Amino acid sequence: MAEDQIRYDVLVQEALRGVVRKVLGEVARTGLPGDHHFYVTFDTRAPGVRVSSRLRERYPEEMTIVIQHQYWDLQVTEHAFEVGLSFSGVPERLLVPFSAIKGIFDPSVKFGLEFEVVHEAEDEAEEGEGNEADGEAVPFPEPEARDAAAEGEPGPAEGEGARTASVVSLDQFRKKP
């Protein structure tokens, strides 16, 4: 088989991350429409991720946040999003580069995207191995405990415009090999 010198896999992932950027940017400007909400899973070890040492210790590799009723000050740039959430009553500010996102899922419409996050050291080791694109639209089943998991604990950051978050595992939504 011919070598993919164009790197379609990289181009597809970049385009799909652009979808995430556009959707979150619109939510930052106008709020969540209807019943839409998101489970966003990201690699906490990825370059540029900013989370507190407390959260990094608790989630050393991967973290899933829920953007639904209780979040604040969502800001979206070309390369990352920043959001305020409350974890066990403690307000936190997270900065997540789009390149660190492993998946996003909107259970209200059963739509999700999965991405491959490659760290620079891994990228060099796998160079030339021809990876397939993992960033693709996939139909996810409705999670049974979605509403319970999406309801965060109330905390001191709550109040006008304040929201809380829950961390859940997206494994239940992933395609089985």
Side-chain angles (χ1 to χ4, degrees):
M1 182 181 275
E3 182 181 343
D4 178 6
Q5 295 179 346
I6 294 175
R7 292 301 311 257
Y8 288 109
D9 57 336
V10 172
L11 295 172
V12 168
Q13 284 205 31
E14 286 176 10
L16 290 173
R17 287 180 197 280
V19 170
V20 175
R21 181 182 314 106
K22 183 174 177 77
V23 168
L24 290 180
E26 186 64 28
V27 168
R29 284 187 295 283
T30 63
L32 285 165
D35 291 330
H36 289 280
H37 58 287
F38 310 108
Y39 293 86
V40 181
T41 300
F42 61 95
D43 185 336
T44 56
R45 302 163 300 171
V49 170
R50 277 195 333 225
V51 297
S52 69
S53 57
R54 178 178 79 94
L55 289 178
R56 191 172 304 277
E57 185 177 301
R58 189 165 179 195
Y59 305 99
E61 295 179 9
E62 179 178 283
M63 183 175 186
T64 297
I65 58 173
V66 179
I67 299 176
Q68 187 173 19
H69 299 298
Q70 302 183 2
Y71 65 94
W72 66 90
D73 200 22
L74 175 61
Q75 297 177 6
V76 179
T77 67
E78 182 68 23
H79 301 287
F81 74 93
E82 195 168 358
V83 67
L85 298 165
S86 181
F87 296 88
S88 301
V90 178
E92 301 273 359
R93 188 102 182 118
L94 291 81
L95 178 95
V96 181
F98 291 111
S99 59
I101 295 175
K102 296 175 84 174
I104 185 167
F105 176 59
D106 182 345
S108 70
V109 292
K110 299 179 184 173
F111 179 80
L113 297 171
E114 290 184 325
F115 301 97
E116 178 180 337
V117 176
V118 179
H119 297 280
E120 289 180 25
E122 293 172 10
D123 196 25
E124 291 171 7
E126 295 176 4
E127 198 167 296
E129 290 184 16
N131 299 328
E132 292 183 24
D134 284 338
E136 58 182 58
V138 291
F140 285 99
E142 183 73 18
E144 295 174 10
R146 167 182 60 115
D147 295 329
E151 297 299 322
E153 286 186 43
E158 287 191 5
E160 208 171 310
R163 300 164 189 251
T164 59
S166 296
V167 177
V168 297
S169 170
L170 276 189
D171 289 339
Q172 62 187 330
F173 308 120
R174 296 189 193 283
K175 291 191 287 188
K176 306 292 184 228

